[in-house]
Structures are given as structure tokens and as C-alpha cells.
Amino acid sequence: MDLVDEGRRITESAIIADIGSVATTVGLIDVVDGRHRLVARGRAPTTTEPPHADAAVGLREALVQIEHLTGRRLLGDGGQLLTPERREGPGVDTAALTCSSGGPLRLAISGLAADLSLRSARRVAQTTYSEVVTTLGAESQPGTSGHDHHVEDWVERLSQSKPEAILMTGGMDGGPVAPLVDMAHNITLAASVIPEPTQPTVIFAGNETARQAVADVLSKELAFKVVDNIRPSWNVERLNQAADAVAQLYRERRIARLPGMGEIRTWSSGPILSTAEAFAWAICFLAEQESTAALGIDLGSANLCLGGLVNGTLLRRVDMKSGTRFGLDYLIARSGLPQVARWLPIPMAPAEMANHLANLSLRPLVQAQTEAQFWAEQAAVRETLRLAIAESGDLLGLSPQVGPWLMVDYLVISGTRLTHAPKPTQVALAVLDGVQPVGITHLMTDRFQLLAPLVSLAQTAPAAAAHVLTNDALASVGTIVAPAGQMRTGRTALRCDLTYPDGSAFRLEVPFGSLEVIPLDADQQLQIDIRPAGGLDLGLGRGKRVQTKVRGGSVGLVIDVRGRPLRLPDNDNDEERRERLSEWRKNVGA
Amino acid sequence: MWVPEFSRPQEVHITPIMNIRRERVLSRPGEVLVDLGAFVEPDTVVARAEKPGPVHVLSLCEVLGVPPDKVKRLLTKGLGDDLEPGTTIAMRRQWLGLRRRRAPSPVAGKFAGFDDTGYALIRGQPEPVEITAFVRGRVANVMPRFGVVVELTGALIQGVWGSGGEAAGVLRIKVDDPSQPLEAAAIDVASRGTIMVGGSATEATFRAAAEHQVSGLVLASLDAGLRAMVSNLPFPVALLEGFGSIPINRPAFELLAELDGHDASISGRTVPRWGRTRPEVIISRHRAQPPAVEAGGAWQKGDRVHIIASPHTGQVGEIVALVRQGKTVDSGDRLPGCQVRLDSKEIVFVPWTNLERLR
């Protein structure tokens, strides 16, 4: 059946795909009962690495799975995706992809002030899959003693680190130009020893008054681009243009050059976006639909992405060192094994846990078959989430009044190890333990790990993408009610009046230290009227009453009054700690 | 629930005899030193290049006492010219030529660059970079200026983690059982130049191995806490099973025992991603014809498999039934997989993702 809008044929069917570090996930979208729906999903190992070294191999394998599931032919005799959809049935109208495979973009940053321009430059680097390979600081200014030595140092560092791009920052708008011109000369000199085909592209994101003078020096020798000053004044930070420029380079230098991408690009109707940027835009779309704040956390095998709209600001952050497989060594080095192990609800010797996690980092496809493996992995997931929120506090604009806690209306979780725990209650508990949200938060999961490629699809088929995103891509887990603050365990923390749409109501008094679940389906709502005890805050102030409607999900309404921060017994009290964790598991049915 | 319908098996080589090809290439253009068809030993240098030397910066403005726009016409050397320590790069004549101010090169090298601010770049002497054949075999392909492909017939045993570079030596098995640790006492002066095999090792073993200059160690497993120490050893280490206390799988142990005393090559290089590389042991064997290579393909009954995750890590068996609809395992998840009859005759369920096909 053709859907026609003003004489123009609308896209009916599409393949959306995400090529991740470990797995390639593909979805088939088609029209069902007049509406676009996600009808099938396939998944296969990503094959950008040897022995295949061709991303199309894994993509085809996932497409073949969909062919078997649906009986619909998608691939031609030569293995190419059939587009557009034929009248007889084979093929699809369009394809849209995202990708996070391939290594990070090697980025050098340069700036004038460590605590201003360089700090913001690092934040830009963190908005996509990039790695800061060297930092060129402010010490090499004219007249500074040791100037020659520092220029030599820059030359050596650029020569050794071989960046693909240099993010040049510094100076407030209207400020002195000379320091940036000198920096430009130094960069040109240092880059001159790098063979021409591999010379870095320079992105200038500094004092706008210096643009022309800097361009006069740099553009003669190097590929050069100008974006908004990331620090136009001391208290203003504008990262978006610089972040977009770095993301563009990542697409050109990394995604486009992956083995097999030449062929895959011919299948795709629009540009192939990076998974992180597409994921962030997907969450922003959700936030704008609901006129609210939303945060997405995508915990993959190799990295962790935060994306969304928080405090009216677009948020994008990629931590290249965190991941459920390739980030485990770094997690232990950063947090320490005891800090990770404190989340274990079962006895496990530290060496055994260290061995488990080390083996997982070697075998990214392995799935937990034993309880010990599962909880070792889940402990690592919790600690990774906790660190991600703690280290992103300034980006998240965490409230100084409420405390360093995340407060958003919608929280979307993606990443197989997190979203595909055997029970939805385990997903909810991992988020409660690791993220520790505060206030009233609706929790959802990226059901099929296809949220990001829907944004790619939106470039050519926006209506189809929007419909699938809002109807099929997300699964509701439920609503979390969690106050910030501490009080004595056992004392009444929340007085809740809960009213169903049919008028039936009940009252609940929740003691501090407890975790309660009230079953509530995804299509059900509940009116809640909650009065927290004086020292607790649900987001409107200490002791302030909250009245609102909440939605259910696979778990329901979760009332988490364990306090923020979540306090566990010390590692010296292992047995007490495990009892506490086991009790919480039991309370939510995990 | 994640149901990975992977049809393309992970594989591991524990192969007594096969055709093996190894690319030996430089990371920058250089010179290939062997001819097509030449027989090479593991330590034969097959290609050589020069790594650019360090860069030195000289402020000609400061040395000569002139502004930047005046420097260029004072240069006495051109870009690319060879320099010795003290060679004048630029010179300024003062007082009607009676006095000369010179800018000498600080090192031997080449005049590499010059910019409008009056800085000169001198590239120090390059350092040679060589690549060896790593294995005993025949040069099967030459990639001009970059390297060769060496081909041989031999045994290949792949591991999962390793450290250190490459080495060659005589294979020595000093244990009688796949789980038996390699004791420090078993390493002595006769161990020099050998590649020793054991189930596991302690800090004392590693110290003894370093002291007696072994060429490499092949172990089944290692405590994860020893990784940092092992990564700093002066010889390569290859783990066949992973971290923990896991014995060598039976086929690998039997193959290594059969090849005790043979010349071998070991690589500890492990790159988990972005160009995945596994540690390996290669032993050249001369036979008329290795068996035909079996095609890969989807999992099937009869496949010999190596289990790579708990609770049966390191064990080997044969697939006796495919369980496509999956089975709920102890972790609570429902996973597709198969029934495997272990060499002990026990039949166990193993998810697909926790298996490697034995080649």
C-alpha cells in the first residue's frame, strides 16, 4: 500500500542499523495498519576487525536474520541491500545507519589558560568519540623564558602523538590577538614536520577578533576551519559549534574509512551519524515532545554516552574509557576493586572478581551463565553509572540546593548489558543503585538498541522515525520516586496518597531505608500526593509536598527512600552489606 | 532478554599442521632485504626503514639578532640539506663584514623546516627500524618498500592474552599435567633461550625466568593481579585460557607435549580491538601436504569446541545438539546455545557466545 502525501510517495519501509563496537543491530520498519512500525530485529557481531575486516559482513548477517524471521528478501544476489522496495515485495525504500565502531579521533588541544579555554576544549573532545592525545599549553608565548624549548616541545609532541585534528582555543572575544597568532605560528611550525597526507586539520574556536590573523597564518599550510569561540567571555561557554565540527571530522576520518563502509554508504539515504550524536538528538526529541528535561545513558561495551536536554541545554558526553567490556580495567584502576565489589550481593573473593572482570574484557561477546559472573558484571555496571553521573556533575547542571543528584523527568537507558538483564526489576535496581536519581523520574529503556539510527532515518523519513521512536523503540520500566537527604532508618519518610483513575485510593507511609514497588502497568496512571519528612526533598524543596500523575511500566511505581547518597555498610562489614543488598533485591523482586 | 542469534562462530586455532602465512611489514616505507622465494629464519631481518630522528628548534632571530623578516635571506643552507654538529645554517655579517654571527646546527641531521617567525627545524639522525621474519619459512610475497609475507607449514596455537613482543626458541614442557604450575625450581641455566610451558606461574617463576633468560612463557592462566608484573617482563608471555586458575585445554597440552624440543616462535602481542591480534605460538613442521582447510560456516553438530567462560572454562568437547530456542541458565537469562559433550563425557549446555570452534 502506498502512502501518498501531496502527490509525493512517503517512505514505507526502511532498514535502520547501528554498527557498534561489538554488535551490529538492525531493524526493519514497515507500514502496519497504516502506521510505521518496527517489525523485526536482527543482531550479529560487528565485523570491522580481522579476520573479516569488513563492516558489511556483520550487517549482512543481521539482515539475513530478518529475512529468515519475516520471509522478506532484503539482499540481492551480490549481497547488496535492495532499495527501493519492489512492488513484488523484496527490498526496502531506504536505509539509515549510525556507527560507533572504529577507533577514536586523535585530537590535540591548544589553549591559553588551563582552567578556562583548555578545560572547555576537553569538554568539546568529550562530546564525541575522540581522544586527547596531547595538550599544547599556554607556556610558549613570546618573551617567555624557555620559549625555544617549548616550541621544540610542541614540535616533538605533535610529531609523536600524530593528531588528526587540533582544536585551537583561547582568548575572550575582543581580547589580545598576538598570543593566538603566535600559537598559530607554533602550530604551523610543529605540523610542518608531519608528512603532508597525515597533517592535522585545525579547528579554531578562540577569540573571534583573532580569526582573520590566525587564518592568515594557518590556512596557508593546513586544512582550517573556524567555529564559535568556546569561551567568548569568562563566564560563558559555547561548545556546540566546536562539538559539531569535531563530530563531523569523526564521521569523515573514522566512520567513512572503516573497512566495508564504502559499500554500506551506497545503501544509506543520508549521512551515517555517530551513535553518540544521534542518541543525544533522540533524547532531545523526547524532551521537546514532553516539554521536559530528559537524559539518556547509553552504556555500551566500549564507551558510555550521555545525551539529552537538561536545564534547557543540549548535553552530549562520551566517555571513551567506560564500557561494560573494554572499560573494565580502567574502572578498576579509577575506582579500585573494593569500590566495585561493594555492589556484590553474593560472597566473592576479590581475586575471583578481578579474574572475572579481566576475562570479560578479553571476551566481549561472552554472556553470564553463572550467578557469580552475572553479579560481577552488574557490580561493574553500577559503579560505572555512579562514576559517570559524579564526573558529569557540571555538565548536568546538578542543583546546588538539592545536592549533587540527577533530577530529570525522563531517564532513558540503553546498552544491552543494562537493559537486557533477565528481569526488568534488575534493570530498575541497577539504575537506582548506580544513577541514584532524585525527584520523580520516568524510567524507560531503549528496547532494541535502535534509538540512535532512528535519528539517522529522520533525515530522510521524519514521520516514520518519529512514529517508531514514540511507539516502538522505548519500553517503560515505571516511575521512580526518590527523595534526596538522610534521616534515621525506620522513621516515616514519605506519606503518600495514591489514587487510581477509577477513584480507588490508598495511603502509604514509607519508612526511611526502604524500597517499595507498587505494580502499575505501562498503560496505567496514578495520581500521587506525597508529603516528605522535613529533611527530605523531592525536588521542590525540603519537606515540600508533591502532587502529580505518574505512569507505570514493566516494574511500576518504585519508591526509593534509601537516601541520597546511597549509603552501604563499609567493606569491613561484608555480611551486613550483602544482607542489605539482598534485602533491596527482594523488595523490588530482582 | 538479549538473544544473540549469532551464526558466525568464534574460532581458535589449536592446529597440529596447517598452512600459515604471516605478514611482516614496516609501519613506514623502507627497504625489503630478502627476495621472493628465499628461506628465512625467525631472526632474519626481512625489511628495514628509518624512523625520523628527534626535531630540534633553533630561533635564528635570537641567534643572529635580526627581526624575523630578515632571516630568510641570511640562510646558508636549504631545506633538506644534510648537517653536521656546528654546520652553519645562517650567517649575518656585521661591521662591513669584519664580524660574522653564525647560527650553527646543534646536531647532525637534516634542515627540516623554516617559518616566517624565524625558527629553523633540524631533524636529528634517523634511527633504524627493522622487522624480522618471526617464523622459519619461505618468502611467499614481497610488498615493495614495506615488507613480505612469510609462509610455512606448521602448528599454530592461539592464546587469548599476552604481553611482550616476539621471540624464538626451543619449546620446553616442564609439567606433566595441564593444571600443573611451572615452578621456579624447574627453571635453570638450561632454560636459557627456551619457550617454557606450564599451567600457571607465580612471581617467583617469573623472576627465575627473567634471571635465566628464557625466550618466552606459554601458560594456561594467570591471576589478574599479576598482569602489571608480567607486562614488564623482558620476554613474551602468552596465556591460552585467560585469568584465574584454569588448566591448559587438553588438545593444546597434547600438541605442545608432542612438539616438546622443537624450534618455536612466540608472540605475546595482544590487541583486543581496532585490529584484533591474539598471542600465538607457531612451530614449523615439514610435511608433504597439510590437510585441506575446512570451510567455516554456521555451528553444527559434531563441531569440536573450546569453552571460554564459566562454569566450564577451558574445557573442550563436541556439539551433540543445537538448542536454538534457548535455555534458562543459572544467571537467570535465557540464552540460545547447544549441548556439548565434554571430553569427560558429561553433557552440558553452553551459550553460543561462550564457545570457540576448534580449528
Side-chain angles (χ1 to χ4, degrees), chain A residues 9-256:
Chain A
R9 188 168 180 271
I10 292 174
T11 297
E12 282 189 40
S13 57
I15 284 290
I16 55 173
D18 178 67
I19 302 174
S21 304
V22 170
T24 292
T25 311
V26 173
L28 170 64
I29 292 173
D30 206 347
V31 172
V32 178
D33 293 336
R35 311 301 295 269
H36 288 98
R37 304 301 300 267
L38 185 66
V39 297
R41 192 200 78 160
R43 199 161 177 159
T46 293
T47 50
T48 50
E49 308 269 342
H52 305 292
D54 182 349
V57 169
L59 189 53
R60 277 193 197 99
E61 184 171 333
L63 287 167
V64 164
Q65 292 172 19
I66 293 182
E67 286 184 329
H68 287 159
L69 280 169
T70 61
R72 177 194 188 129
R73 191 174 170 212
L74 296 170
L75 296 169
D77 293 334
Q80 77 283 12
L81 181 67
L82 295 171
T83 57
E85 184 180 345
R86 278 47 166 176
R87 285 209 174 269
E88 321 80 68
V92 288
D93 285 330
T94 191
L97 295 101
T98 51
C99 181
S100 61
S101 190
L105 185 75
R106 299 174 60 77
L107 189 68
I109 58 174
S110 73
L112 294 178
D115 57 349
L116 282 172
S117 48
L118 282 175
R119 200 167 100 181
S120 295
R122 278 201 182 80
R123 284 212 186 123
V124 171
Q126 287 177 329
T127 59
T128 191
Y129 305 100
S130 72
E131 178 193 6
V132 176
V133 294
T134 196
T135 301
L136 306 171
E139 55 274 16
S140 60
Q141 296 305 307
T144 309
S145 65
H147 184 205
D148 293 358
H149 167 70
H150 288 297
V151 174
E152 196 169 282
D153 178 51
W154 278 37
V155 169
E156 190 60 28
R157 284 210 248 151
L158 280 186
S159 172
Q160 295 295 329
S161 63
K162 299 184 178 53
E164 294 167 274
I166 300 174
L167 180 62
M168 182 182 166
T169 69
M172 293 175 209
D173 288 346
V177 167
L180 289 166
V181 174
D182 280 334
M183 190 187 292
H185 276 296
N186 292 338
I187 288 175
T188 308
L189 188 67
S192 68
V193 300
I194 300 172
E196 212 170 290
T198 57
Q199 280 184 337
T201 297
V202 179
I203 302 170
F204 179 64
N207 175 3
E208 65 174 16
T209 319
R211 279 180 186 171
Q212 189 58 56
V214 166
D216 288 344
V217 173
L218 283 171
S219 59
K220 283 188 286 196
E221 306 289 339
L222 299 168
F224 177 71
K225 189 180 173 110
V226 171
V227 297
D228 281 349
N229 188 351
I230 57 175
R231 287 309 279 257
S233 61
W234 72 270
N235 61 345
V236 174
E237 192 178 63
R238 272 193 209 124
L239 305 182
N240 283 345
Q241 270 201 11
D244 289 343
V246 175
Q248 172 74 20
L249 275 178
Y250 173 76
R251 292 199 289 272
E252 289 167 6
R253 301 264 184 140
R254 288 291 170 193
I255 295 180

Side-chain angles (χ1 to χ4, degrees), chain B residues 291-320:
Chain B
V293 174
E294 298 158 18
W299 290 111
Q300 49 193 329
K301 275 172 64 173
D303 278 345
R304 289 279 288 162
V305 294
H306 173 228
I307 303 174
I308 58 174
S310 298
H312 308 290
T313 317
Q315 297 201 49
V316 165
E318 178 183 317
I319 294 178
V320 294

Side-chain angles (χ1 to χ4, degrees), chain B residues 168-170 190-195 212-215:
Chain B
V170 175
S191 308
R192 183 181 169 151
T194 63
I195 296 171
H212 293 288
Q213 298 181 324
V214 306
S215 282

